[in-house]
Structures are given as C-alpha cells and as structure tokens.
Amino acid sequence: MALIAPRMTPGLPAEDAAKLRQALEGGHDITVFVDGTVHRLTPQARDAVVDLLSRFGRGEAVTVSSVEEMLTTSQAAELAGISHTFLRNMTDRGEIPVEYRGTHRRIRLAAIMAWLEQQKKNEHAKQAEPTKQPAESS
C-alpha cells in the first residue's frame, strides 16, 4: 500500500467549530450517509471520524494521510511518539519485530500498534496498583 500525499485542511471558522463541538458533545450517535445511504462504521472508523470532527470542533487544522503497512524506522518512531534511536534499540533487543529490505529496517504497522496497545495496558496496570505504605518500625 503506497502512501498518498497528506491532505491539509485549515481549521473551521469559529462559529462553525462551535456548532460542531456542541453537536459532538450532545451524544455518540454518529450517522454517516454516502449518496443518501446510511453506513454503519466499525468502532475504529467511528473513533477516527469522531477524532477528526472533534479536532475541527476545536478549530484545529487537520492533516489526513494514509500509513503504509511496512514503515521505515523513522515513520514507526514518529507514529509511536518515540525517538528513532529508542526504536532501533528496541528492534535490536527483539522487543519489536523488524524485517530488512537490503540494509534498511522495516517495521509492520501492526507491530507498532501492538506495542502501543501494550504500553497503554502497562500504564493502566501501573496506575491501578495500590500504593505501598512503608512498614512501621517498632
């Protein structure tokens, strides 16, 4: 799957952004019509559309682009919000699987998404741990 050039759209005018923000705050029933036909979105697609609309509702400019199945280490690091060096070190340790195209590393999008999901689970587990109180001394 090839990357398609990103599409940049400026933020909505303040009045339009406020109306959209108000509509999104009113509920979670998002209906999509294409040529007059109702389409039910998968939960992932719904979340992406709501995120996009929410950003517009805040008056933010938005860039939409596609992501290749196989990412360069730079693309994968940017997506994960980590440094290129940290990602390379993780691939060296085998924490994230990597494939080579000649001497170039390529990382599957699914591998990065799985790593991000695991990070999220680890963070939730860490926050759920009760705080240990120091033992009282006699």
Side-chain angles (χ1 to χ4, degrees):
M1 170 188 320
L3 279 174
I4 299 172
R7 178 178 173 182
M8 172 77 173
T9 304
L12 294 175
E15 185 178 322
D16 292 339
K19 287 178 185 176
L20 179 57
R21 186 173 51 254
Q22 185 178 17
L24 288 170
E25 289 170 357
H28 294 288
D29 181 22
I30 308 292
T31 304
V32 176
F33 290 90
V34 178
D35 288 333
T37 303
V38 176
H39 293 274
R40 186 172 307 278
L41 299 176
T42 64
Q44 297 89 347
R46 181 203 169 281
D47 290 348
V49 169
V50 169
D51 181 56
L52 173 76
L53 294 175
S54 296
R55 290 170 191 263
F56 275 132
R58 293 189 298 266
E60 297 174 12
V62 175
T63 300
V64 176
S65 66
S66 59
V67 179
E68 289 186 30
E69 180 65 25
M70 296 298 288
L71 306 171
T72 66
T73 52
S74 294
Q75 290 169 324
E78 183 177 345
L79 180 64
I82 57 178
S83 75
H84 182 261
T85 303
F86 185 69
L87 179 72
R88 275 196 335 254
N89 290 338
M90 286 194 307
T91 63
D92 290 343
R93 291 189 303 264
E95 295 173 23
I96 292 183
V98 65
E99 297 178 24
Y100 285 88
R101 301 290 189 263
T103 58
H104 300 281
R105 300 171 202 229
R106 294 293 180 262
I107 299 169
R108 292 197 177 276
L109 172 61
I112 289 296
M113 299 310 287
W115 181 82
L116 285 169
E117 187 61 33
Q118 187 59 49
Q119 295 302 101
K120 199 181 297 182
K121 287 179 184 176
N122 292 348
E123 185 61 31
H124 288 306
K126 190 176 181 180
Q127 290 175 356
E129 287 179 3
T131 0
K132 295 182 179 179
Q133 297 294 326
E136 291 184 26
S137 57
S138 309

